[in-house]
Amino acid sequence: MSAAEPSGSGVPPLQSGDLNIDHVANLARLALTPAEMQKFSEQLGDVLKHIAELKEVDVSAVEPTAHAYPVVNVWAADVAAASLPVSAALRNAPAQRDNMIAVPKVVE
Amino acid sequence: MAEPLYYRSIAELATGLAVREFSSEELTRTVIARTEDLEPQVQAFNSRDQEYALNQAREADERHRRGIAASPLDGVPIGLKDVIAVQDQPLTASSRMLANFVSPYDSTTTVRLKQAGAVLWGRLNLDEFAMGSSTENSGSRRAGQPWQTRNPWDLSRVPGGSSGGSAASVACGEVIASLGSDTGGSIRQPAALCGIVGMKPTYGLVSRYGLIAFASSLDQIGPFARSVEDAAILLGAIAGHDPLDSTSVDAPKVDYRAELKRQRGPWKLGVAKEYFSEGLGREVGDAVSRAIDYYRSIGCEIREVSLPHTKYAVGVYYIIATAECSSNLARYDGVRYGHRANDAESVLDLYFRSRAEGFGDEVKRRIILGTYVLSSGYYDAYYLRAQKVRTLMRDDFVNAFQEVDAIITPTSPTVAFKRGATASPLEMYLNDIYTIGANLAGLPAISLPCGLDREHGLPIGLQIIGPAFQEARLLSIANAYEQGHDWNRRRPGGVPA
Amino acid sequence: MSTTRYEAVIGLEVHVQVKTASKMFSRSATGYGAPVNSLTDPVVLALPGVLPVLNRAAIELTVKAGLLLGCRIAPRCKWDRKNYFYPDSPKNYQISQYDQPLCLGGSVEIELPGSARNVMGEHKSIPLTRIHLEEDVGKLNHGSFDSLIDYNRAGTPLMEIVSEPALQTADEAFAYLTALKTIMVYGGISDCDMEKGQLRCDANVSIRPVGDPNLGTKVELKNLNSISFVRDGIAHEIKRQIGVVTAGGTIVQETRDYDGQTGQSQSLRSKEQAHDYRYFPDPDLMPVEVDAAWKARIQATCPELPFDKQRRFQSEYGIPYTLTSVLVPDRALSDFFEEAAKAGAKAQAVGNWIANDLLRELGAAKRDLAHSKIRPAHIAGLVKLIDADTLTQQTAREVFAEMFASGETPDAVVARKGLRADQPPAELEQWCRDAIAADARSLADFKSGKDSAINAFKGPVMKAAKGRANPKLVDETLRRILATL
Ligand SMILES: [Mg+2]
Ligand SMILES: [Zn+2]
């Protein structure tokens, strides 16, 4: 497993037709109606067509920019600070029981 | 100067408070009254807490009485875009998802404003999660009706976005100044459309801790004000290294207000042809040309520069910003806080329906696009490639700044457009073409009013982009223009004076 | 009927909680057993607007782990987001390291069981792929109709130590975890208490015909929550796979859950349901660079590895394998031994007193070594006194008991209680005379040339001396008196 998985020898898959909105919405945990899927597919298809212009650019010798102003070793000393009071931690909880967040039973 | 208190500058108000011409409580009550008068039309505020503001005002008065005012902002009402956390106050991002969320903590910017003595007046409307250019994507509701901020120059038009509430409220005197956030132009474009000054600082100058993230590598908090000097004062209060934000830069502290008087040019200013392309409205183009002529007339050298990768900016931006947003917004899942769908049968069902119900269309579109560009098999083609083109765009700016001190461009291709004028998402995205570059390159950029269009009398914005951490220079260049014009003293005609 | 023989190929992914005071990306305290949701802050809960800040100590301890395991320390590493939705994950992404981990390569030396308890087993080196640093998730508590989430554990620094698929048996996996755990505890990197979830293990298991160079389809075993369960789960899985294949079936790539209580496993998800984690560099965090100077400073804090120490103890102190295998796995105990041995006392005796008497008494008193009133100098002094015949085995035990209770030095105990066997009490002469006088038959035997008859007098003398007489002196005194009779 490598982050920079080779994209294959062929043309990079920069085609709007590749957008499988059902699959992607599932990854994003978004329930979409069939009408929304249709609408978003068309709208994002246009955007992806525009984005496909990036294919023109020769980036073979270019490093990616992850941070506008890269510095390294930004960290803090390991000194514990005060925690949130439990009441503050749970203040916005939609459902709670026994000082814990409650969700429908998870079965893995 | 007979302007009402709510239209005065921070500098003027600071003097008035210091000599006890009026109290912060009087000032705050005036601003509150102005807000109550205009809000039914302008709809800039998501929420406001009079008691909270008045308490802060009385504390400020106490400091003024004892001669220990903390800063020029001490006792001055400032509004915050509703993505900046204030402890024990609502924080909604104009999303149904966070309609009932109350923040248990302060953003670093909030802490700094409190230390400066500012009176925090209200939480200002925006496009949901800062995604949009018109504030029409707001999910805010009043009595079940959409709460959509109007442009005080013409209530049938948008204030721009995403920080539409922050811009509109400053333009019409509901606050003295405000903070917004800018990911692809969300401060500068609404500032331009509302006829005020708005600035996006260098990435890393202002802490993002406590700013609801849209696209982490692009987001910056910045000021809205009715003068360059006020923007300088507000920027000075919020800039500076923050150990809670690992991307915050440990740069030397600068007194931006003092620098305005010190830096007088003349400057070498660049004009990039890529920023005067098709799609630029004629009125806007003419106003910017006149501004360029003005700079030439005060001794500045104008040079043509090239930013050849500008045409890819929108594509790069919508890959990087949506990828980051798809991950940043994963936390809004209905589990620990925020909207939770009723009667979920399982955690999966809870996720799917809470997010479907909690997010509006624009947010969903961007989450889907961002999820797609990161998904297995597409990372290299989209995200990695976009990060590389981003490098080329940064290099374009680096090269240009070998030649010039700053670059002058229009802020937005057009003046404020009509509310509800249906544009496709792509058309909307292409409107950001002039502002996105500074975000992708992490550079400071300011928009200031440079005219009114002849047909509708709507404001036009001039953008100045500078090298990293040259905010003082940008402010000085903007100030030089402002000193020779009165656009920033024009008040919007869509609301009572 | 031909019977194919199969061999297993096993790789282990071990998660180890790094022992820090605060969390990986915020300064909320870490800890086990605190009231639920009392160890959180806005960052841990992923409230809107928060940002992560690296914990320097977690990085340092992971570098230390890497150095102890012979890894290459990456000069530069970065942080990535691993995106997946799960209710124990507050952000719905985990900050981890994808393609640029902190440590690369390295190995773990393991010892397989010997032919007998006192015989050293075979040693092997198991190669590592990498070690990276990430954050732990919260804990789900399952009720009958809902699940409850406690975020105390969320954000705790977590090292993931990934081995090459180089283990062949369940016993090797057991030995690997034992060795790894000892090293982590030695280095002060983690307490590795599996009951507290400080060490957790997933195993990738496949089989192939013996001699086949290709790897078979691997099955991931999850939730192996004790070292014994790891061994049992892997053994069970190997048997299951061989059973499937010999019955003509094929192994499917899947994740299985092994239940240590029932000894059964069941499928959790198949390859088709595998996650798409959408890794990308975390824009909120900056890369980390470990330069030579920093690495050297950390190296200076690295202790000797347990197996190296065990070999050294055998050669340097001449103590047997069995004794080293008691002393060495506990770093404090081995240091205790070495300090006592270095004080000039006989190492074997020192080791025996520690491994037998001290451990037994500490166990009975439910006290740990750090709270022992007996310090290394006490043991060294005690052994020296025995060696000099100042103490007998019996008086030495008495001195030990006094020291254990009060922390008095052996010399002080001996002086206070008059236990010096080499300076006989004035009564010794009289006790000997009394003993001889009381046993005419043994006297006669002795006089008739039966030398061993002298031993019959020693018991009564020792009894009169309450055990505090030096046996050599008793013998000399008896012989001197007998010679005059
Ligand atoms: Mg793993
Ligand atoms: Zn892991």
Side-chain angles (χ1 to χ4, degrees):
Chain A
M1 55 174 206
S2 112
E5 254 173 65
S7 50
S9 48
V11 182
L14 269 173
Q15 273 107 33
S16 54
D18 287 351
L19 174 58
N20 177 346
I21 197 156
D22 196 21
H23 170 69
V24 173
N26 183 50
L27 282 177
R29 300 292 186 260
L30 272 176
L32 298 183
T33 63
E36 283 175 319
M37 284 201 207
Q38 179 66 31
K39 180 177 67 177
F40 292 163
S41 287
E42 284 166 18
Q43 292 168 332
L44 293 176
D46 290 346
V47 175
L48 286 167
K49 257 179 234 147
H50 179 81
I51 284 175
E53 285 181 14
L54 293 188
K55 264 197 299 188
E56 301 164 3
V57 188
D58 178 8
V59 292
S60 50
V62 183
E63 286 296 310
T65 292
H67 295 100
Y69 289 95
V71 284
V72 297
N73 297 356
V74 181
W75 49 41
D78 179 31
V79 180
S83 290
L84 268 184
V86 179
S87 59
L90 299 177
R91 174 177 188 164
N92 290 288
Q96 57 173 293
R97 196 156 65 77
D98 300 337
N99 279 344
M100 287 181 277
I101 302 281
V103 291
K105 189 170 163 73
V106 178
V107 276
E108 213 211 11
Chain B
M1 191 70 55
E3 279 205 303
L5 287 183
Y6 54 75
Y7 268 149
R8 292 199 200 166
S9 70
I10 294 173
E12 292 161 344
L13 293 170
T15 309
L17 289 165
V19 302
R20 316 226 18 86
E21 178 194 337
F22 45 84
S23 69
S24 171
E25 183 169 350
E26 285 169 77
L27 168 61
T28 302
R29 285 191 186 282
T30 307
V31 163
I32 289 171
R34 173 74 173 170
T35 305
E36 299 309 326
D37 281 353
L38 299 192
E39 265 308 276
Q41 290 80 48
V42 178
Q43 304 190 4
F45 285 66
N46 281 344
S47 63
R48 47 196 192 271
D49 185 335
Q50 287 199 17
E51 272 321 296
Y52 186 88
L54 287 169
N55 277 333
Q56 287 184 318
R58 286 187 280 262
E59 285 169 22
D61 284 331
E62 180 58 26
R63 285 188 295 274
H64 281 290
R65 223 180 329 271
R66 293 166 55 201
I68 52 162
S71 81
L73 288 176
D74 204 333
V76 176
I78 303 293
L80 298 183
K81 187 178 183 179
D82 201 3
V83 280
I84 299 172
V86 178
Q87 188 172 346
D88 300 329
Q89 292 288 309
L91 179 64
T92 74
S94 290
S95 178
R96 186 179 177 205
M97 182 58 86
L98 293 175
N100 300 310
F101 185 80
V102 175
S103 177
Y105 79 105
D106 269 336
S107 77
T108 296
T109 295
T110 304
V111 170
R112 291 191 174 155
L113 283 183
K114 285 178 174 176
Q115 283 165 354
V119 171
L120 303 183
W121 175 231
R123 318 313 314 279
L124 301 163
N125 198 10
L126 60 141
D127 285 302
E128 183 179 4
F129 281 102
M131 298 177 194
S133 310
S134 66
T135 313
E136 292 170 298
N137 297 332
S138 171
S140 299
R141 294 283 182 282
R142 280 288 188 294
Q145 293 306 303
W147 188 252
Q148 285 179 345
T149 306
R150 321 294 166 94
N151 191 316
W153 292 79
D154 176 347
L155 295 175
S156 70
R157 291 175 188 268
V158 302
S162 66
S163 312
S166 298
S169 60
V170 172
C172 68
E174 293 181 314
V175 292
I176 303 304
S178 71
L179 294 181
S181 66
D182 189 316
T183 307
S186 283
I187 290 175
R188 290 159 287 158
Q189 185 256 17
L193 270 46
C194 289
I196 58 172
V197 176
M199 185 172 202
K200 181 202 95 72
T202 306
Y203 185 80
L205 184 73
V206 179
S207 169
R208 293 185 296 116
Y209 186 77
L211 167 68
I212 291 186
F214 160 19
S216 312
S217 76
L218 305 167
D219 297 341
Q220 268 293 284
I221 293 175
F224 284 95
R226 292 185 296 254
S227 70
V228 171
E229 184 182 30
D230 280 6
I233 291 169
L234 195 46
L235 180 65
I238 61 173
H241 179 244
D242 178 14
L244 297 179
D245 175 358
S246 307
T247 63
S248 146
V249 176
D250 204 350
K253 195 107 182 120
V254 177
D255 183 343
Y256 299 106
R257 192 185 186 187
E259 288 297 308
L260 286 184
K261 298 198 173 66
R262 218 178 54 76
Q263 297 193 23
R264 299 181 163 277
W267 299 277
K268 269 188 264 179
L269 300 178
V271 176
K273 61 174 182 303
E274 292 86 354
Y275 281 68
F276 294 85
S277 51
E278 51 159 334
L280 175 63
R282 228 190 65 213
E283 291 276 328
V284 176
D286 290 351
V288 174
S289 295
R290 285 193 297 274
I292 292 168
D293 290 342
Y294 174 77
Y295 277 115
R296 202 179 274 119
S297 78
I298 61 168
C300 295
E301 181 189 335
I302 307 296
R303 281 206 199 169
E304 191 171 311
V305 294
S306 179
L307 301 165
H309 294 92
T310 301
K311 62 181 287 205
Y312 305 112
V314 170
V316 170
Y317 176 83
Y318 278 93
I319 291 171
I320 292 174
T322 60
E324 293 180 5
C325 108
S326 73
S327 176
N328 284 334
L329 269 62
R331 69 190 56 195
Y332 306 106
D333 59 1
V335 172
R336 296 163 318 288
Y337 53 80
H339 175 72
R340 180 184 284 201
N342 287 327
D343 306 320
E345 290 164 5
S346 65
V347 170
L348 263 187
D349 183 36
L350 186 152
Y351 286 155
F352 274 103
R353 287 200 291 121
S354 300
R355 288 165 63 79
E357 294 166 8
F359 293 138
D361 276 5
E362 185 58 28
V363 173
K364 289 177 188 171
R365 260 193 298 273
R366 296 197 193 193
I367 288 175
I368 286 173
L369 183 56
T371 304
Y372 170 65
V373 300
L374 289 176
S375 65
S376 177
Y378 295 96
Y379 179 86
D380 285 15
Y382 288 115
Y383 192 76
L384 190 59
R385 176 168 282 262
Q387 295 274 50
K388 289 178 175 177
V389 180
R390 184 179 183 183
T391 305
L392 296 173
M393 295 185 60
R394 281 181 67 198
D395 293 347
D396 284 352
F397 280 105
V398 169
N399 294 337
F401 289 130
Q402 308 272 336
E403 306 277 319
V404 296
D405 296 317
I407 295 168
I408 304 186
T409 82
T411 305
S412 171
T414 66
V415 293
F417 42 93
K418 289 274 188 187
R419 298 179 51 240
T422 47
S424 75
L426 179 60
E427 286 167 323
M428 275 288 207
Y429 298 171
L430 291 170
N431 268 333
D432 299 341
I433 182 80
Y434 303 142
T435 45
I436 279 172
N439 298 84
L440 288 170
L443 302 173
I446 190 169
S447 178
L448 67 157
C450 71
L452 296 173
D453 89 318
R454 278 162 290 209
E455 195 182 342
H456 307 101
L458 294 167
I460 296 168
L462 175 72
Q463 177 177 236
I464 310 170
I465 307 171
F469 301 105
Q470 295 301 329
E471 277 77 5
R473 184 195 297 169
L474 279 194
L475 288 161
S476 300
I477 295 171
N479 194 48
Y481 178 88
E482 194 181 86
Q483 295 305 306
H485 300 83
D486 71 343
W487 303 118
N488 74 307
R489 306 202 79 90
R490 308 282 183 97
R491 302 301 172 218
V495 294
Chain C
M1 168 180 142
S2 78
T3 50
T4 316
R5 283 168 42 78
Y6 291 93
E7 65 179 10
V9 177
I10 304 156
L12 296 181
E13 281 176 25
V14 178
H15 284 94
V16 173
Q17 277 186 1
V18 182
K19 203 160 102 178
T20 53
S22 68
K23 292 189 176 178
M24 185 66 228
F25 299 111
S26 76
R27 304 293 74 80
S28 161
T30 57
Y32 181 86
V36 292
N37 287 313
S38 66
L39 303 179
T40 76
D41 63 15
V43 179
V44 169
L45 295 170
L47 296 187
V50 296
L51 296 170
V53 178
L54 292 169
N55 184 334
R56 185 184 205 266
I59 296 164
E60 208 154 66
L61 286 168
T62 303
V63 170
K64 189 177 185 185
L67 291 171
L68 283 169
L69 297 173
C71 303
R72 273 173 290 126
I73 307 303
R76 183 186 175 90
C77 67
K78 68 175 175 70
W79 308 91
D80 301 287
R81 293 187 184 179
K82 179 182 181 179
N83 294 285
Y84 65 97
F85 281 82
Y86 205 72
D88 61 9
S89 169
K91 299 184 292 298
N92 288 319
Y93 62 81
Q94 180 193 34
I95 304 176
S96 182
Q97 300 190 290
Y98 182 38
D99 57 345
Q100 292 180 31
L102 190 46
C103 311
L104 295 149
S107 62
V108 178
E109 182 182 356
I110 66 167
E111 178 180 341
L112 295 171
S115 57
R117 213 180 58 80
N118 59 348
V119 177
M120 187 169 84
E122 182 196 352
H123 280 229
K124 274 185 146 180
S125 173
I126 306 301
L128 296 178
T129 311
R130 56 186 272 166
I131 305 175
H132 69 252
L133 192 50
E134 55 190 29
E135 56 179 334
D136 211 340
V137 294
K139 209 168 165 6
L140 284 173
N141 301 282
H142 301 293
S144 45
F145 56 92
D146 60 6
S147 294
L148 300 173
I149 317 170
D150 170 18
Y151 294 100
N152 281 353
R153 192 178 70 178
T156 302
L158 200 60
M159 269 189 319
E160 184 174 327
I161 304 170
V162 183
S163 84
E164 290 285 292
L167 297 149
Q168 291 173 322
T169 66
D171 276 345
E172 286 188 3
F174 184 90
Y176 173 89
L177 285 174
T178 307
L180 193 60
K181 177 177 165 176
T182 307
I183 293 170
M184 292 300 120
V185 176
Y186 248 67
I189 293 155
S190 174
D191 291 335
C192 289
D193 187 335
M194 283 186 92
E195 270 175 30
K196 295 179 181 170
Q198 292 165 347
L199 186 151
R200 308 197 288 272
C201 181
D202 301 334
N204 291 310
V205 181
S206 64
I207 58 163
R208 63 182 171 193
V210 172
D212 189 335
N214 299 314
L215 290 172
T217 303
K218 72 176 180 189
V219 168
E220 186 179 26
L221 287 183
K222 283 217 174 282
N223 303 329
L224 302 167
N225 45 24
S226 82
I227 295 190
S228 303
F229 286 171
V230 174
R231 179 179 53 198
D232 300 349
I234 289 172
H236 175 270
E237 179 60 20
I238 294 170
K239 235 171 88 184
R240 188 190 71 81
Q241 290 188 18
I242 292 175
V244 169
V245 172
T246 47
T250 47
I251 305 300
V252 290
Q253 188 173 336
E254 62 180 341
T255 300
R256 297 183 72 87
D257 179 75
Y258 176 76
D259 184 335
Q261 305 302 332
T262 63
Q264 296 301 312
S265 69
Q266 58 171 4
S267 184
L268 284 178
R269 61 178 164 268
S270 67
K271 188 194 176 189
E272 288 68 42
Q273 300 159 281
H275 301 287
D276 178 353
Y277 290 123
R278 288 161 282 136
Y279 281 100
F280 75 106
D282 193 329
D284 290 330
L285 291 165
M286 293 301 182
V288 165
E289 288 184 1
V290 182
D291 62 15
W294 189 22
K295 208 162 74 177
R297 282 201 303 279
I298 299 170
Q299 184 77 65
T301 69
C302 284
E304 183 181 23
L305 285 173
F307 283 131
D308 290 342
K309 184 181 270 187
Q310 191 172 9
R311 282 182 283 266
R312 184 171 62 79
F313 276 13
Q314 291 178 60
S315 62
E316 192 172 324
Y317 297 106
I319 59 173
Y321 166 77
T322 37
L323 190 50
T324 59
S325 63
V326 175
L327 295 175
V328 171
D330 182 333
R331 183 179 171 185
L333 194 67
S334 64
D335 288 345
F336 191 100
F337 159 79
E338 189 151 31
E339 196 180 330
K342 281 222 164 88
K346 271 193 183 150
Q348 166 96 49
V350 165
N352 287 340
W353 276 101
I354 293 170
N356 301 326
D357 303 82
L358 182 58
L359 286 186
R360 183 190 63 240
E361 293 305 318
L362 287 173
K366 293 191 168 59
R367 204 179 290 166
D368 59 30
L369 187 64
H371 294 95
S372 168
K373 290 183 180 170
I374 293 192
R375 305 313 312 161
H378 292 91
I379 299 288
L382 183 70
V383 169
K384 281 188 206 166
L385 287 172
I386 298 165
D387 226 32
D389 291 328
T390 306
L391 290 176
T392 66
Q393 278 302 321
Q394 193 173 349
T395 49
R397 272 179 222 298
E398 195 178 335
V399 173
F400 182 90
E402 289 289 330
M403 295 193 302
F404 188 84
S406 68
E408 254 183 298
T409 63
D411 287 331
V413 177
V414 167
R416 179 164 59 77
K417 304 196 80 171
L419 296 177
R420 290 195 70 106
D422 54 342
Q423 290 169 354
E427 304 95 317
L428 182 62
E429 180 89 10
Q430 192 53 50
W431 292 336
C432 288
R433 291 188 183 283
D434 290 352
I436 293 167
D439 190 350
R441 195 168 140 205
S442 296
L443 175 62
D445 288 350
F446 184 81
K447 295 210 74 140
S448 68
K450 192 176 170 195
D451 193 66
S452 65
I454 193 170
N455 291 333
F457 309 124
K458 289 178 181 171
V461 172
M462 280 300 191
K463 193 175 172 197
K466 299 197 173 87
R468 294 172 197 177
N470 181 334
K472 228 168 87 198
L473 266 179
V474 171
D475 187 76
E476 282 166 19
T477 310
L478 283 169
R479 283 185 194 282
R480 184 164 43 73
I481 295 168
L482 286 167
T484 65
L485 296 177

